[in-house]
Amino acid sequence: MTDSAIGDAPATAEIVRRAAAGDEIAFARLVNDHHASMARVAFVIVGDPGLASDVVQVAWSIAWRRLGSLRDASQVRSWLVAIAANEARQVLRRGRRQPVVDLSLALDRHGAGDPADTIELVDLERALRSLKPDDRTLIALRYVAGLDSTQIAVSIGGSASGVRSRLARLLDRLRTDLDQ
Amino acid sequence: MTEPMSPFESRLAHALSRYADRAPAEVDAISLTAAVSVPNRRPRFAVRARRWSVVLGLVVLGAALIGLLAGALLLRRPPLPDGQLFVWAPDGNGGGTVHVVRPGGEADRSVTLPGVYHCPHLLPDQSMVVYWSSDPASADGLWRRGFDGTPAQRIASLSFRVASSGSWSPDGSRLAFSSGYLTPPVSGGIAILNAADGRIDQVGPRTNHVFNITWSPDGRRIAFAQQLSLQVEIDVIDRDGSNFHQLAQFAYDSGSAGSLELRWAPNQRYLAYQTANLNGEPGPPNGWQLVDVVTGKLIERSATSSSDINFSPELWSTSVASPDGTRVAVPNAGTLSITAADGAVQRVLDIRGTPQSIAWSPDGTAIALQFGVTYVVVDVYSVLDDRPPTRLGPFTAADGSHCPITWQGR
């Protein structure tokens, strides 16, 4: 299974190879292609745009150092997203940081849409905040980055079946929280 | 995607996708690459060397030769100036840690402070940190604390209004604020607190409310505004209360006093003032008025050199002047220009983004740039040559550090 949705696989492999060899232009291409995915995953985990931005910058720093160890270039997206997710999780653990969410601002941000959707997002934000960093990471990798259980298992350790079990429990909890 | 989703999972994925739209999307890929790639060349070499062990010997040999060459070149360069860089890292619980580090990267000292509600700073002799505290265990006010573990001492019991409206001298030794904020309040004039001994002197006219207190870059003079009936007066005075001069006076309503701004030129010869002239109230037209502090005469800006940094109040807010006032550092999207007084660009440094704050070394031969809010790093550049920056940190600031760094001592 590959995740090289951006461009064809040989081109991706070549970009990864050149970036791993220290070609900064190739690395910038990776940044351009994958930064948004990493930022989205980091944001869902940490819940703060500024902190997410810092997290992704650190993640890119890690990626620069370790890109040479990536065995399958077609997995570069899931590999990068997993680095961002792990860094976001570590930041929450280290700092015990729970960003203060101004719900009025959250409402303003989404005020232009369907009121029902707005409430759903606020509820979603509350539900995410109630999860442990590890659980938020799992949710973000599965439903924001779109990784499957095998890719997640590779990213965070463990087995694919274990990931599926944890996801099932989390879904039950979120279903209860969001349907209340 | 090979794993199917239930209807609830699809709804959740859709909602998460919309929620994630709030994530920071903009990125300058080239600048970010430049920022993350600089310190990591050595590990990358290590990976490649492991992969091609045959090449390792050549790489090591080449690196040794390059190292010898670089070493020889570095030996010819003057070292970075010494001193102490002061970095504040809030802990997210109302307090934080003061880090004092040397420009070469060595940690010097640190002290943890509770209940800090405004940017702390280091006294000129670097012996004490001065900070505003709202710690319930102690009275509100201005406090100082050393690095040796001795208890904090309260310098003065001053209101929060002083913390937000007062102005610290450039060397951090004195705090100037309106005497009206003393307890009991005094009508008019400027109160100057000496942080070393807590003594408060009052200078300036004692009749009218004083605001916009602004120290000259060398800390010897103070410009300020005072409210007269329906007029505002711009004055300048030496910090000991002598040499009082009125520089300008114009009709102005007190309700808009906060929209007045004062700035000193890097060479300290000129003072600029600007009023927003809100709500059509009388006053000078929008835009900066420039006045010669020595002669008191207004400067006709069309008659000045447009490239001279000393005639450019617009530039003074986006740049940081060198200690001797002869140059300014101007950040601009991944570069930092060192510009001389006549506008000539002396040097352009490639930097890793837009710095949160900039601090010159006291001797003007190096410059420190603060990046990041949660992970604060400080890059120290020589402005004399093109050597790579020395990176300090990261300092983890759980609550985000929005206080500028300072560079003191020699």
Side-chain angles (χ1 to χ4, degrees):
Chain A
M1 186 180 308
T2 69
D3 58 19
S4 57
I6 301 168
D8 57 286
T12 301
E14 177 61 14
I15 289 169
V16 170
R17 188 192 66 76
R18 283 166 41 205
D23 182 335
E24 295 190 4
I25 299 298
F27 192 83
R29 173 83 184 273
L30 291 177
V31 172
N32 204 48
D33 288 347
H34 300 293
H35 187 86
S37 299
M38 295 163 72
R40 290 168 70 84
V41 164
F43 172 74
V44 167
I45 296 170
V46 300
D48 177 87
L51 188 53
S53 189
D54 282 355
V55 160
V56 178
Q57 180 161 332
V58 173
W60 279 117
S61 179
I62 294 169
W64 172 264
R65 290 197 303 269
R66 298 186 186 164
L67 196 55
S69 66
L70 177 63
R71 292 176 188 169
D72 183 354
S74 67
Q75 296 289 339
V76 65
R77 178 177 174 275
S78 58
W79 185 77
L80 289 168
V81 162
I83 291 175
N86 276 321
E87 182 57 25
R89 181 176 56 162
Q90 294 298 331
V91 163
L92 287 186
R93 282 176 168 177
R94 281 197 296 265
R96 304 181 307 280
R97 177 173 170 152
Q98 295 292 328
V100 176
V101 176
D102 186 333
L103 291 179
S104 63
L105 285 178
L107 286 166
D108 285 346
R109 285 190 202 104
H110 303 293
D114 184 338
D117 286 349
T118 302
I119 293 166
E120 185 184 320
L121 284 190
V122 174
D123 290 343
L124 178 66
E125 197 158 37
R126 283 202 190 99
L128 285 172
R129 296 286 79 77
S130 72
L131 298 180
K132 294 176 187 169
D134 286 0
D135 293 339
R136 274 185 241 172
T137 303
L138 202 56
I139 292 291
L141 289 175
R142 177 71 182 104
Y143 300 111
V144 179
L147 305 194
D148 61 29
S149 52
T150 305
Q151 290 171 312
I152 295 172
V154 170
S155 302
I156 64 174
S159 66
S161 60
V163 167
R164 284 193 290 272
S165 306
R166 282 180 61 194
L167 275 172
R169 283 198 298 274
L170 281 172
L171 284 175
D172 284 343
R173 177 173 168 180
L174 286 173
R175 188 181 287 111
T176 305
D177 287 350
L178 295 174
D179 287 347
Q180 274 177 349
Chain B
M1 186 70 51
T2 57
E3 293 180 355
M5 289 191 190
S6 68
F8 175 73
E9 284 181 287
S10 297
R11 194 159 66 92
L12 177 66
H14 179 62
L16 281 166
S17 175
R18 286 188 296 117
Y19 175 64
D21 287 343
R22 290 164 50 188
E26 296 294 324
V27 63
D28 178 343
I30 297 292
S31 296
L32 194 147
T33 300
V36 302
S37 62
V38 171
N40 303 321
R41 296 221 157 103
R42 234 177 300 147
R44 180 161 51 82
F45 260 115
V47 169
R48 294 176 63 79
R50 277 200 302 273
R51 194 170 288 173
W52 297 299
S53 57
V54 177
V55 181
L56 182 61
L58 291 173
V59 169
V60 170
L61 185 62
L65 288 171
I66 292 169
L68 282 172
L69 191 59
L73 287 172
L74 279 174
L75 283 176
R76 288 166 46 192
R77 291 172 168 168
L80 285 172
D82 203 359
Q84 284 83 36
L85 279 152
F86 176 95
V87 182
W88 168 240
D91 62 11
N93 295 315
T97 301
V98 165
H99 298 277
V100 179
V101 288
R102 294 196 174 276
E106 308 87 9
D108 196 72
R109 290 164 291 169
S110 67
V111 62
T112 299
L113 307 174
V116 176
Y117 62 76
H118 212 265
C119 291
H121 72 267
L122 197 59
L123 284 183
D125 66 1
Q126 295 107 43
S127 65
M128 296 262 187
V129 176
V130 175
Y131 61 101
W132 296 93
S133 178
S134 58
D135 184 357
S138 59
D140 286 0
L142 190 63
W143 291 72
R144 65 182 169 215
R145 184 165 193 167
F147 294 87
D148 57 1
T150 52
Q153 302 168 294
R154 189 169 67 177
I155 300 172
S157 175
L158 295 171
S159 74
F160 177 75
R161 297 173 76 184
V162 176
S164 55
S165 67
S167 174
W168 282 99
S169 60
D171 70 353
S173 66
R174 290 172 174 80
L175 173 69
F177 56 97
S178 167
S179 298
Y181 297 148
L182 286 168
T183 307
V186 174
S187 177
I190 299 171
I192 299 180
L193 178 143
N194 187 330
D197 57 16
R199 199 180 81 184
I200 296 177
D201 295 319
Q202 290 184 66
V203 300
R206 301 282 176 82
T207 49
N208 305 299
H209 178 61
V210 167
F211 55 99
N212 280 42
I213 297 168
T214 311
W215 291 85
S216 63
D218 66 1
R220 293 182 180 176
R221 311 203 80 191
I222 300 170
F224 60 96
Q226 56 173 319
Q227 182 74 55
L228 323 169
S229 182
L230 291 177
Q231 289 195 311
V232 157
E233 184 175 300
I234 309 293
D235 302 312
V236 65
I237 194 170
D238 284 3
R239 75 180 182 201
D240 63 2
S242 61
N243 287 325
F244 172 83
H245 291 297
Q246 177 190 317
L247 296 180
Q249 190 180 70
F250 47 88
Y252 206 69
D253 186 270
S254 60
S256 298
S259 60
L260 178 70
E261 192 174 347
L262 304 181
R263 290 180 191 167
W264 283 87
N267 68 356
Q268 319 189 65
R269 175 69 189 256
Y270 309 110
L271 184 78
Y273 61 94
Q274 183 189 46
T275 62
N277 205 8
L278 299 174
N279 306 321
E281 290 147 350
N286 290 334
W288 289 100
Q289 307 292 310
L290 201 58
V291 61
D292 186 323
V293 176
V294 176
T295 65
K297 291 182 178 173
L298 274 174
I299 305 293
E300 184 60 50
R301 294 188 63 194
S302 60
T304 64
S305 165
S306 60
S307 60
D308 191 322
I309 61 173
N310 289 302
F311 298 119
S312 306
E314 297 85 356
L315 180 68
W316 305 342
S317 67
T318 57
S319 63
V320 178
S322 62
D324 62 3
T326 60
R327 293 159 294 163
V328 289
V330 189
N332 182 25
T335 62
L336 186 83
S337 303
I338 308 297
T339 303
D342 62 2
V345 175
Q346 293 182 332
R347 184 169 288 277
V348 178
L349 306 173
D350 288 323
I351 60 176
R352 55 179 284 172
T354 302
Q356 298 285 333
S357 70
I358 298 172
W360 284 84
S361 65
D363 67 357
T365 63
I367 198 160
L369 310 177
Q370 174 193 0
F371 296 98
V373 173
T374 307
Y375 294 106
V376 177
V377 296
V378 178
D379 285 350
V380 182
Y381 288 83
S382 167
V383 298
L384 303 177
D385 52 53
D386 293 324
R387 80 185 74 176
T390 301
R391 179 159 299 169
L392 316 180
F395 308 96
T396 302
D399 207 23
S401 182
H402 300 281
C403 296
I405 56 171
T406 60
W407 190 333
Q408 293 172 240
R410 294 179 187 277

